[in-house]
Amino acid sequence: CNKCHNTFYEPFKFALPNCSYSLETLYCIANSLREPSINFSSVGKQFGISYQECINLFEKYVATPNYTELPTIMCFDEKFLNRSIAKNGYAFIIVDFVNKKLFDILSSRHKEDLYKYFAKFSIEKRKKVKYIIIDMYQTYLDVAETFFPDAIIIVDSFHVVQNVRNAFDTIRKKIQKKYDNGSDDIDQNTEFYYLLKHNKDALLKFYTSLNNERKYNTRLKMYISERTMVSYALNIDPLLKNSYDLLQDYYEYNKYNSIETAEEMLNEIILKFKLSKIKEFEDVGFTLSRWKKYIINSFITIIDEKFHTKRRLSNGPIESINSLIEKIHLIGNGFKNFPLFRKICLCKINKTITFKF
């Protein structure tokens, strides 16, 4: 100033103080990182900055999403990562069922760590949770019953079905092994071995979903449908046929029942399993007995406000989110900084980028 001889600087609105990057560049970098398939290395190359500088900018200027209100319907699950980032390799996942969003991810699924986490929320907030969907893992049940006294606990139907499928598949493998002649080539092995091995996926399907279209099979040298192939395989051993019938009984129960009929029909299924004289299914029968109350709850439906349709409560939304977490972990070439990994997952999966400035 010619009058007072002081020096003044014109405000520069296109960049933050003490930052060598424009606001537009910071926005572009952050938005590029929204996609789960994009990592820091590729974004760094795109903007001509180093991998570490890209991480530094992300950590400094992108805010960690912080949800203070618990979802009214929560899904609990775990995801195996590695021991360098999570305790015993397993991260604990919480998903908002209604909005199909990742609510949070923790570096441990141990009971004491989950207790510390949920204790941070007031009892008033925890009482707003109406439903909690879990797999058959005792720790999750203990946490849900301890911290959410007003919530209805549900065992995810997919995990129950998976238990029954595993029992049947164990029997299939045992019978298949009896007909193995030691050849690594399935086409050079015995016909019974081929039928059991080749149709392993078809044998695990709900019978009504089997394809009835006939196609030429080079091993059997005939036109045959998937449904007929399964019938041939089931005739190999009575044990396999009996086990298959029990599996199909549970598929039918899981698909066609409602909350009103679920208890009565489940009691019949449990009795069938326990009286089957098939150890694998007897074990499943006792498991179903232990978790019966929560399996019945899995037939509860809610109205989807977006599509105005009934929606059965399950851990379906968490499966797709788990696959995204897996993708983020893989393209990141193995994270060792869990807070950074958590922040990236919340930002990428939920497509929410908020800034600290």
Side-chain angles (χ1 to χ4, degrees), residues 91-107:
F92 178 68
I93 316 294
I94 307 170
V95 166
D96 180 344
F97 177 85
V98 174
N99 298 309
K100 299 180 183 178
K101 288 188 175 182
L102 176 64
F103 177 78
D104 211 344
I105 175 169
L106 281 66
S107 63

Side-chain angles (χ1 to χ4, degrees), residues 226-241:
E226 186 180 49
R227 186 170 291 190
T228 305
M229 289 271 278
V230 166
S231 296
Y232 282 179
L234 294 176
N235 286 327
I236 293 171
D237 194 301
L239 175 61
L240 187 72
K241 178 66 169 65

Side-chain angles (χ1 to χ4, degrees), residues 31 44 52 73 100 136 168 175 183 219 249 259 304 323:
N31 283 322
Q52 189 58 50
I73 305 176
K100 299 180 183 178
M136 291 185 286
F168 171 78
I175 296 169
S183 175
R219 175 67 170 82
D249 283 344
I259 189 65
D304 190 315
S323 66

Side-chain angles (χ1 to χ4, degrees), residues 91-346:
F92 178 68
I93 316 294
I94 307 170
V95 166
D96 180 344
F97 177 85
V98 174
N99 298 309
K100 299 180 183 178
K101 288 188 175 182
L102 176 64
F103 177 78
D104 211 344
I105 175 169
L106 281 66
S107 63
S108 169
R109 63 170 183 168
H110 291 179
K111 184 185 287 188
E112 57 271 22
D113 295 315
L114 300 186
Y115 273 35
K116 286 177 186 176
Y117 176 80
F118 286 112
K120 295 185 295 185
F121 296 93
S122 67
I123 186 64
E124 289 76 18
K125 289 181 178 179
R126 287 187 269 122
K127 281 190 172 184
K128 291 179 183 177
V129 177
K130 295 179 181 178
Y131 302 101
I132 297 176
I133 307 160
I134 63 173
D135 57 21
M136 291 185 286
Y137 184 47
Q138 186 62 43
T139 294
Y140 298 164
L141 179 60
D142 293 342
V143 170
E145 290 181 332
T146 301
F147 288 94
F148 303 95
D150 293 348
I152 295 173
I153 302 167
I154 294 165
V155 163
D156 177 42
S157 58
F158 172 79
H159 286 276
V160 184
V161 169
Q162 194 63 34
N163 249 263
V164 184
R165 282 162 57 100
N166 288 344
F168 171 78
D169 207 41
T170 299
I171 292 162
R172 179 194 64 80
K173 288 174 182 176
K174 284 181 180 178
I175 296 169
Q176 176 185 293
K177 193 174 181 180
K178 292 194 301 185
Y179 299 103
D180 186 0
N181 67 9
S183 175
D184 292 332
D185 186 351
I186 185 175
D187 288 328
Q188 298 302 317
N189 219 304
T190 65
E191 188 172 290
F192 285 172
Y193 181 91
Y194 172 83
L195 285 168
L196 292 168
K197 180 81 171 178
H198 179 75
N199 294 296
K200 60 181 180 180
D201 293 331
L203 283 163
L204 290 170
K205 289 182 182 179
F206 192 15
Y207 186 76
T208 56
S209 68
L210 290 173
N211 195 324
N212 212 22
E213 182 187 351
R214 294 167 71 240
K215 294 181 179 179
Y216 189 75
N217 184 285
T218 54
R219 175 67 170 82
L220 301 178
K221 295 180 173 59
M222 62 188 295
Y223 284 92
I224 189 168
S225 69
E226 186 180 49
R227 186 170 291 190
T228 305
M229 289 271 278
V230 166
S231 296
Y232 282 179
L234 294 176
N235 286 327
I236 293 171
D237 194 301
L239 175 61
L240 187 72
K241 178 66 169 65
N242 293 337
S243 302
Y244 184 80
D245 289 342
L246 292 172
L247 172 65
Q248 296 301 314
D249 283 344
Y250 196 84
Y251 280 156
E252 191 172 330
Y253 164 76
N254 185 62
K255 185 171 183 178
Y256 295 117
N257 275 279
S258 64
I259 189 65
E260 291 78 21
T261 60
E263 183 173 5
E264 181 183 351
M265 298 306 296
L266 183 57
N267 287 333
E268 291 184 17
I269 291 282
I270 290 170
L271 187 61
K272 272 187 181 180
F273 282 16
K274 287 182 177 179
L275 297 178
S276 66
K277 296 183 180 179
I278 303 171
K279 184 185 180 306
E280 289 80 3
F281 279 90
E282 287 174 358
D283 292 344
V284 174
F286 285 109
T287 301
L288 296 180
S289 294
R290 181 184 168 199
W291 294 89
K292 183 169 75 170
K293 172 184 173 183
Y294 313 108
I295 294 170
I296 293 166
N297 288 343
S298 73
F299 288 89
I300 294 172
T301 57
I302 62 165
I303 300 297
D304 190 315
E305 294 181 1
K306 184 177 180 181
F307 299 103
H308 304 288
T309 56
K310 283 187 176 181
R311 189 175 167 198
R312 187 174 170 185
L313 297 177
S314 73
N315 265 354
I318 216 166
E319 300 304 326
S320 58
I321 286 173
N322 272 348
S323 66
L324 290 175
I325 292 172
E326 175 75 15
K327 183 184 285 188
I328 292 166
H329 188 248
L330 285 174
I331 65 159
N333 298 318
F335 287 88
K336 292 187 178 179
N337 180 341
F338 186 82
L340 174 62
F341 179 70
R342 172 181 176 269
K343 184 174 178 177
I344 291 167
C345 287
L346 288 167

